[in-house]
Amino acid sequence: VDECTAGSAPACDVTAVCTNVPGSFQCACAQGFTGDGFSCVDLDECTEDATACDDVTNADCVNTEGSFRCVCRDGYQESVDASSPVTTDIDECAEDAAACPDVTSVCVNTAGSFRCACREGYQDSGGQCADVDECAVQSGGCDQDRGRCVNTPGSRTCQCSNGYQGDGTSESCLFTDIDECAANANACPDPNSRCENTEGSFRCECKDGYTDGPAGFCAGGVL
Ligand SMILES: [Ca+2]
Ligand SMILES: [Ca+2]
Ligand SMILES: [Ca+2]
């Protein structure tokens, strides 16, 4: 008699496998279940074997009915091109351009997470990226004597003082006379004056027959 199909024997658990043997039958819980075959319950593989998911890095064991799964931890995702479960770090910076929405910060991917670091020219100040005042330290590398440092958001600029030219960095500002008369035809607005270039500046001189008047204009006329 095949008790397994005849239904004459005490029923095996619905999850069990019935095996007919001469004169009798056997019930065995299916894989993933535990019990005597007549009563089977889910085997908690995660509790039973703490190393169940050790082959998969950065994954945690999750028990399921009749089996278990290795689930990627937060910040990791399952690799789709691998035959066996493999987790890979999620590059939050590449996946979400707005991961670090503050324009003063830059996204840095890390294993299992990411962080927002301050951009160059900014430094953390109470959780916010604040502009660094480069001018506060050694004039920001600008020419201290003949120029000056101007702090800007995220950077600084160097400027040369009037009459000096260069990129403004340390000792770069050189005295260079600018011929204001040649550069600007209206340097002396009064048509009765003529422009005289000088070292570092210029002056307006009244033509013959005219005398200095108010506000740099020339007064008088031919005598
Ligand atoms: Ca299970
Ligand atoms: Ca990451
Ligand atoms: Ca700055």
Side-chain angles (χ1 to χ4, degrees):
V1 178
D2 185 347
E3 293 88 349
C4 291
T5 53
S8 56
C12 294
D13 189 273
V14 289
T15 67
V17 177
C18 184
T19 307
N20 186 41
V21 295
S24 184
F25 68 100
Q26 290 173 348
C27 294
C29 293
Q31 191 176 1
F33 293 88
T34 183
D36 61 5
F38 297 96
S39 173
C40 300
V41 295
D42 169 55
L43 174 67
D44 186 344
E45 293 85 352
C46 301
T47 305
E48 193 80 5
D49 179 10
T51 66
C53 286
D54 274 10
D55 288 347
V56 188
T57 55
N58 301 309
D60 290 318
C61 187
V62 174
N63 183 45
T64 64
E65 185 73 11
S67 187
F68 71 102
R69 291 189 297 132
C70 297
V71 177
C72 297
R73 291 183 186 140
D74 283 350
Y76 293 88
Q77 62 192 352
E78 203 166 319
S79 298
V80 289
D81 54 351
S83 54
S84 56
V86 175
T87 60
T88 54
D89 172 54
I90 296 171
D91 187 345
E92 294 85 355
C93 301
E95 293 198 353
D96 181 8
C100 295
D102 196 330
V103 294
T104 62
S105 68
V106 61
C107 188
V108 178
N109 184 42
T110 64
S113 187
F114 72 101
R115 64 191 173 86
C116 298
C118 291
R119 268 183 207 285
E120 195 178 342
Y122 293 87
Q123 63 187 2
D124 183 75
S125 173
Q128 301 280 313
C129 293
D131 173 54
V132 173
D133 184 359
E134 293 85 355
C135 297
V137 180
Q138 296 186 325
S139 294
C142 297
D143 194 324
Q144 296 186 53
D145 300 324
R146 293 154 297 188
R148 65 194 182 103
C149 180
V150 179
N151 185 40
T152 63
S155 187
R156 63 94 177 94
T157 57
C158 293
Q159 295 176 349
C160 290
S161 302
N162 285 343
Y164 295 90
Q165 289 186 330
D167 65 10
T169 55
S170 183
E171 296 181 22
S172 76
C173 294
L174 303 174
F175 176 74
T176 312
D177 177 53
I178 298 166
D179 187 344
E180 292 87 351
C181 301
N184 181 9
N186 292 315
C188 297
D190 191 321
N192 294 317
S193 71
R194 68 174 169 269
C195 187
E196 289 278 336
N197 183 45
T198 64
E199 284 251 303
S201 186
F202 72 102
R203 64 172 175 267
C204 299
E205 291 205 333
C206 292
K207 290 177 180 172
D208 289 347
Y210 293 85
T211 54
D212 290 341
F217 281 80
C218 298
V222 180
L223 295 173

